[in-house]
Amino acid sequence: MGSRMVRLAGSSQENAVKLASVRLVTDDLPTLTAFYSTLTDSEPVTPYGSGDYAELHTEGGIIALADSAAVKRFNNNAAVAAANRSAIIEFEVDDVDAERARLGDQVATWVQEPTNQPWGNRSMLLRDPDGNLINIYSTGH
């Protein structure tokens, strides 16, 4: 991942914006952490030593997971667990079909089996244990 910063219109060097992570709020941190650990094939990190927050570091960015109790304590109860129906979390892989086989019964809700898209990607859709929509895709098919 490069260090290039995106600049918003009218922003200066001091105000450069860099996407740090996507944080998902959950009522079942152990289950969601295990799911994303399997999905990303990475070990969770708990940088603050607490049992209410975990991170999965991927090549493209960080998936942060927070217990809803932590959001209530530290973020003014601003997010509601398992209530997202507008975002799609996307992961690029080399082989969608191999990922489908690898994930097999680890996923409870398959939304779309591997499909060739008109723009050349091959993708599949699934939901994580909290219902967040995930697109796993590969390019050039």
Side-chain angles (χ1 to χ4, degrees):
M1 186 167 148
S3 61
R4 188 172 150 236
M5 302 288 270
V6 174
R7 301 203 198 302
L8 299 178
S11 70
S12 67
Q13 179 67 25
E14 298 82 43
N15 292 327
V17 176
K18 178 182 176 183
L19 179 64
S21 68
V22 172
R23 186 178 354 160
L24 302 174
V25 178
T26 183
D27 287 329
D28 189 351
L29 187 61
T31 296
L32 208 60
T33 301
F35 175 85
Y36 279 98
S37 179
T38 298
L39 181 74
T40 62
D41 197 23
S42 62
E43 289 297 315
V45 176
T46 53
Y48 307 114
S50 67
D52 56 11
Y53 181 83
E55 293 179 349
L56 288 297
H57 294 236
T58 72
E59 183 178 328
I62 296 172
I63 301 167
L65 306 171
D67 186 271
S68 57
V71 172
K72 184 175 184 178
R73 278 194 317 277
F74 304 119
N75 301 121
N76 202 27
N77 208 25
V80 177
N84 175 29
R85 289 293 184 255
S86 64
I88 302 173
I89 304 163
E90 297 187 307
F91 296 93
E92 184 176 356
V93 299
D94 290 332
D95 185 339
V96 170
D97 296 282
E99 288 302 303
R100 174 60 174 97
R102 182 181 72 86
L103 294 170
D105 60 359
Q106 301 293 315
V107 174
T109 307
W110 291 97
V111 176
Q112 176 182 291
E113 292 293 333
T115 304
N116 292 329
Q117 300 298 334
W119 49 89
N121 289 358
R122 184 156 176 82
S123 69
M124 64 183 174
L125 296 171
L126 57 111
R127 292 202 182 272
D128 74 13
D130 280 0
N132 297 300
L133 189 59
I134 297 170
N135 177 34
I136 298 177
Y137 73 95
S138 59
T139 60
H141 289 273

